[in-house]
Amino acid sequence: MSDPALDALMLPFADRRLAWPDAGALFLRAREGAALHAHAPRAGLVCEQSFRPEHDSLQRAGFTVQAQGEDTAPLVLVLPPRQRDEARALLAEAVARTAPGGTVVASMPNDAGARSGQADFEALLGPASVLSKHKCRVFWAEATHADAALAQRWRALDAPRPILDGRWTSRPGVFAWDRIDPASALLAAHLLPTLSGHGADLGAGWGFLSSEVLARCPAVTALDVVEAEQRALDCARANLQAHAARVALEFRWLDVTAGLPARYDFIVTNPPFHALRGEPRPDLGRAFIAAAANALRPGGALWLVANRQLPYEEMFDARFASARLVAQQGGFKVVEAVRGR
């Protein structure tokens, strides 16, 4: 799959405007792709990625990858996300992880905030060198004269914080980070209180749906909270702490589409239908359904909410003994699908 922002990020090295340091580099929010293979020596490159599918892709490609760390390097590459507070925090993190005299290089698509991203970059690091290509901007500067006070303020923007009158903890960039997603709320409202045994929440985000399962279904004895984004999973862990004395909780940093490691009596999910960079991916929902079908015990139930137009019915017919439409509201549908005995 093409990755224009990654292609643009490597331009200064392809054009020899920047030299790759012998001491190596650090790549924050790293993504695997052809440009990285072509222009980034693997020796000395440390990649950081908290989103499990991208993390695993980098690992399979042979790169050194970690979810988070404290390494510093003379060159720090970064692909800032669209959400501005999260992006500012990541730029501040890049400055903090740059060795003395080192350089920060960032790339963003034009339609995902490149202009404001460059403005933030220059507010933090001073005037930047800029190239435009692939409908993206790449900008770079030495970190020597970075605004330390601004970097400190921006770095704190990624910290988990209270939301919704302090009832929950979340952070910028997590899905529906400062609100309750209406699709998840619809699913929660229609869950049967008779759900019991060992369940899982696939794509749990910051933990709203898991919390509703535990509050509404007293016969649940164990719940696996499964999430691909470690930053979200950390918030879910904090939000579900009050239930830990009654229910066995497992927090699993996993790519659901790669399969699940346990068997369940029930599964709830509000599966994603966009990829990390925002492109439509209805196949992700189908992969979640397939993973759930494989992981459910005979007679176990999948409770799913999705946009009404997403064509998941063939999957239910193929992988489950029965499926029923529980509710339709606000463009969403709730489905219960039962695995055959």
Side-chain angles (χ1 to χ4, degrees), residues 303-318:
W303 285 78
L304 173 143
V305 66
N307 281 22
R308 191 179 300 180
Q309 77 273 13
L310 290 173
Y312 295 154
E313 282 67 26
E314 288 185 6
M315 288 292 297
F316 296 134
D317 292 342

Side-chain angles (χ1 to χ4, degrees), residues 207-227:
F208 166 76
L209 191 53
S210 290
S211 180
E212 290 294 294
V213 168
L214 296 174
R216 294 168 182 265
C217 308
V220 172
T221 57
L223 187 69
D224 284 14
V225 183
V226 183
E227 172 56 40

Side-chain angles (χ1 to χ4, degrees), residues 47-51 55 65-69 230 253:
C47 298
E48 283 192 14
Q49 178 55 262
S50 59
F51 185 60
H55 174 282
V65 57
Q66 57 194 18
Q68 58 185 11
Q230 190 177 78
W253 182 48

Side-chain angles (χ1 to χ4, degrees), residues 79-321:
L79 291 172
R82 180 189 294 266
Q83 210 284 336
R84 196 167 190 181
D85 279 357
E86 184 189 9
R88 284 175 165 176
L90 193 62
L91 291 175
E93 177 75 6
V95 168
R97 307 282 293 279
T98 305
T103 300
V104 179
V105 186
S107 173
M108 298 180 72
N110 293 336
D111 62 0
R115 179 178 294 180
S116 60
Q118 181 186 336
D120 286 343
F121 186 94
E122 293 185 326
L124 188 61
L125 289 110
S129 300
V130 184
L131 288 173
S132 295
K133 197 172 182 179
H134 308 301
K135 298 182 179 180
C136 298
R137 293 189 195 189
V138 55
F139 27 91
W140 67 94
E142 289 189 6
T144 307
H145 302 296
D147 186 328
L150 184 61
Q152 184 176 11
R153 292 198 303 273
W154 280 6
R155 204 174 181 193
L157 292 174
D158 186 46
R161 65 182 75 172
I163 62 167
L164 301 174
D165 298 324
R167 184 181 176 191
W168 310 99
T169 294
S170 186
R171 66 204 306 178
V174 169
F175 172 69
W177 81 271
D178 58 352
R179 65 192 188 279
I180 294 172
D181 174 64
S184 293
L186 181 65
L187 176 54
H190 287 86
L191 290 175
L192 293 179
T194 53
L195 289 178
S196 62
H198 188 183
D201 179 2
L202 307 185
W206 52 259
F208 166 76
L209 191 53
S210 290
S211 180
E212 290 294 294
V213 168
L214 296 174
R216 294 168 182 265
C217 308
V220 172
T221 57
L223 187 69
D224 284 14
V225 183
V226 183
E227 172 56 40
E229 176 52 67
Q230 190 177 78
R231 298 171 61 254
L233 194 63
D234 290 343
C235 295
R237 186 177 285 108
N239 288 325
L240 299 174
Q241 187 60 41
H243 299 279
R246 182 183 68 83
V247 178
L249 297 174
E250 287 285 343
F251 296 89
R252 298 186 181 273
W253 182 48
L254 292 175
D255 175 6
V256 169
T257 68
L260 299 169
R263 302 281 277 176
Y264 301 106
D265 299 304
F266 70 91
I267 290 173
V268 299
T269 186
N270 178 3
F273 55 94
H274 289 91
L276 184 63
R277 298 188 291 278
E279 61 270 28
R281 287 284 305 278
D283 59 300
L284 288 176
R286 292 192 289 270
F288 268 57
I289 294 169
N294 291 335
L296 281 168
R297 294 189 175 100
L302 168 65
W303 285 78
L304 173 143
V305 66
N307 281 22
R308 191 179 300 180
Q309 77 273 13
L310 290 173
Y312 295 154
E313 282 67 26
E314 288 185 6
M315 288 292 297
F316 296 134
D317 292 342
R319 303 301 300 269
F320 292 87

